[in-house]
Amino acid sequence: GKIGNRICYFESGMTKKIELKQRILRDARHGLENHEFIFYLQPKCNMATGELVSMEALARWQKSDGTFVSPGEFIPLFESSGFITRFDMYIWKSVCKTLAAWQDKGCKLVPISINVSMIDITNIDVPQYLSMLTEQYHISPEYLPVEITESVFAESNTIVKNTITRFHKKGFYVLMDDFGSGYSSLNVLKDIAVDVLKIDMKFLSDTDQEGRSQNILASVVRMAKWLNLPVIAEGVERREQVDFLHSVGCEYVQGFYFARPMPVSDYEKLVSEKKDELQEKYQKDEIGRDMLWNATSQMGSVFSGMMEPAVIYEYEKEQNRIDTL
């Protein structure tokens, strides 16, 4: 695959890598039959209140001997081999079974988003398959949002656009994952009607130019608001990240700061005991207001070019009031 290289050198380590991949794939087929694959749940929270609003299903592989295989080790291999679709179908079905079990118990349902790859879209009719699953388990499609990475939209815009249209017709919400990591973000937003944007906080750490990524992120959040698109920031691990996101108006977050991925049983225990751990993680204060008027705030750049007076209102829906800033 390297154009211009007329001579390639073979090393014994290459054979070992091939053998390892084949062994993992063999074990994976065995693992599906023996239900070794499970999913963990990572909450997505309302940043202002800490309230859990939805979750994401994250695949895990726990072998029969109790050892875990890292997703970073098996997911890329599944994608390159084409096994990913069979694996994803297994996870999607497992999520639907869990939602159905909660519904039968009379529990309050929380949406669990699932990941869909371009390989899945190419291999099967994903909207039809997910629609069949929701009908089979008697759950509403709104509780099974679909996450698709931004890079997928760039690969085959027409195919993805038609697929998302069919998702919407069947009642599914679509989240664009890793927004801003590709090269066609604005074109995608113009051409394809997604319902939610997800931005990885790694976006803030991948530059040497201090403040530039913060300015861009603040602008993206404001642009999303103009388009009536909710924004979820994922990978949030530190309080200063939470404060910054709050200052720029980001509403929802996902990350270790609020909750790590947890087994389904742990989530059920958390709900049954009615713990308020997530809410206690972040008590809303006046930090957003202070940072907005702080001269060093990234939001200052949004207003620096204005040539007329401006009044900013903060609407607190829960308290039914409007504050003038």
Side-chain angles (χ1 to χ4, degrees):
K2 297 181 180 179
I3 299 176
N5 284 4
R6 297 177 179 270
I7 299 177
C8 299
Y9 294 91
F10 172 79
E11 297 177 353
S12 58
M14 296 178 181
T15 300
K16 293 181 179 179
K17 290 181 180 180
I18 294 174
E19 291 174 346
L20 176 61
K21 290 180 179 180
Q22 292 302 316
R23 185 166 62 252
I24 292 176
L25 288 175
R26 184 189 66 238
D27 291 347
R29 297 185 183 95
H30 177 79
L32 278 185
E33 296 173 358
N34 290 274
H35 306 288
E36 294 179 356
F37 290 100
I38 57 176
F39 65 89
Y40 275 28
L41 295 170
Q42 185 169 31
K44 303 170 186 175
C45 306
N46 182 312
M47 190 172 60
T49 65
E51 179 187 4
L52 189 154
V53 294
S54 64
M55 294 177 288
E56 180 181 1
L58 301 171
R60 296 291 185 267
W61 185 0
Q62 184 177 15
K63 290 189 173 182
S64 55
D65 60 4
T67 60
F68 276 87
V69 182
S70 169
E73 184 177 350
F74 66 83
I75 292 295
L77 177 57
F78 288 2
E79 291 177 339
S80 63
S81 66
F83 185 74
I84 190 68
T85 299
R86 183 180 171 187
F87 170 75
D88 282 343
M89 292 170 68
Y90 177 89
I91 296 296
W92 301 339
K93 188 172 183 177
S94 298
V95 171
C96 288
K97 285 182 178 179
T98 297
L99 287 169
W102 290 348
Q103 187 168 255
D104 292 342
K105 294 177 182 177
C107 302
K108 179 183 177 181
L109 293 187
V110 177
I112 301 178
S113 62
I114 57 173
N115 290 279
V116 173
S117 70
M118 187 64 203
I119 300 173
D120 296 330
I121 294 174
T122 302
N123 287 345
I124 64 172
D125 186 340
V126 181
Q128 180 60 35
Y129 180 77
L130 294 181
S131 181
M132 180 271 293
L133 282 180
T134 54
E135 291 177 5
Q136 177 183 349
Y137 290 97
H138 307 289
I139 57 177
S140 173
E142 67 182 281
Y143 292 108
L144 196 69
V146 175
E147 295 199 17
I148 304 176
T149 60
E150 186 199 38
S151 58
V152 169
F153 293 87
E155 290 182 32
S156 184
N157 190 290
T158 302
I159 295 175
V160 176
K161 183 177 181 179
N162 292 337
T163 300
I164 290 179
T165 298
R166 296 184 60 235
F167 271 132
H168 286 154
K169 287 182 178 179
K170 292 182 178 295
F172 295 96
Y173 295 108
V174 179
L175 292 75
M176 185 189 296
D177 198 7
D178 296 332
F179 177 78
S181 62
Y183 299 97
S184 58
S185 303
L186 296 180
N187 283 332
V188 168
L189 289 181
K190 176 176 67 71
D191 297 333
I192 301 180
V194 295
D195 302 294
V196 180
L197 297 183
K198 290 188 70 178
I199 303 176
D200 198 312
M201 290 304 290
K202 291 180 181 177
F203 179 80
L204 295 180
S205 61
D206 290 342
T207 178
D208 295 329
Q209 302 186 44
E210 184 178 357
R212 188 166 185 173
S213 56
Q214 285 87 345
N215 287 332
I216 294 174
L217 183 54
S219 300
V220 168
V221 172
R222 181 163 294 274
M223 176 184 66
K225 288 183 178 295
W226 291 334
L227 297 174
N228 294 318
L229 284 175
V231 174
I232 300 175
E234 59 180 334
V236 179
E237 300 179 354
R238 303 187 306 275
R239 174 61 191 238
E240 55 265 30
Q241 292 176 326
V242 175
D243 293 340
F244 169 75
L245 291 168
H246 180 55
S247 75
V248 300
C250 183
E251 299 169 288
Y252 304 102
V253 290
Q254 177 183 1
F256 288 0
Y257 182 83
F258 285 87
R260 291 176 176 270
M262 64 185 76
V264 174
S265 58
D266 286 2
Y267 168 75
E268 292 173 341
K269 182 179 179 181
L270 183 70
V271 173
S272 64
E273 295 179 357
K274 297 182 179 180
K275 292 184 178 180
D276 295 326
E277 293 179 0
L278 299 179
Q279 285 82 351
E280 293 172 359
K281 277 288 188 180
Y282 184 69
Q283 297 296 330
K284 183 173 180 178
D285 50 29
E286 301 301 317
I287 187 69
R289 183 179 304 178
D290 294 341
M291 291 186 69
L292 182 62
W293 294 115
N294 191 317
T296 61
S297 170
Q298 302 301 330
M299 283 301 293
S301 62
V302 175
F303 302 100
S304 61
M306 298 180 66
M307 300 301 293
E308 60 276 335
V311 178
I312 302 171
Y313 294 95
E314 181 181 48
Y315 174 56
E316 295 289 349
K317 183 177 181 181
E318 294 81 2
Q319 302 180 23
N320 194 27
R321 74 181 188 188
I322 298 180
D323 292 337
T324 304
L325 301 183

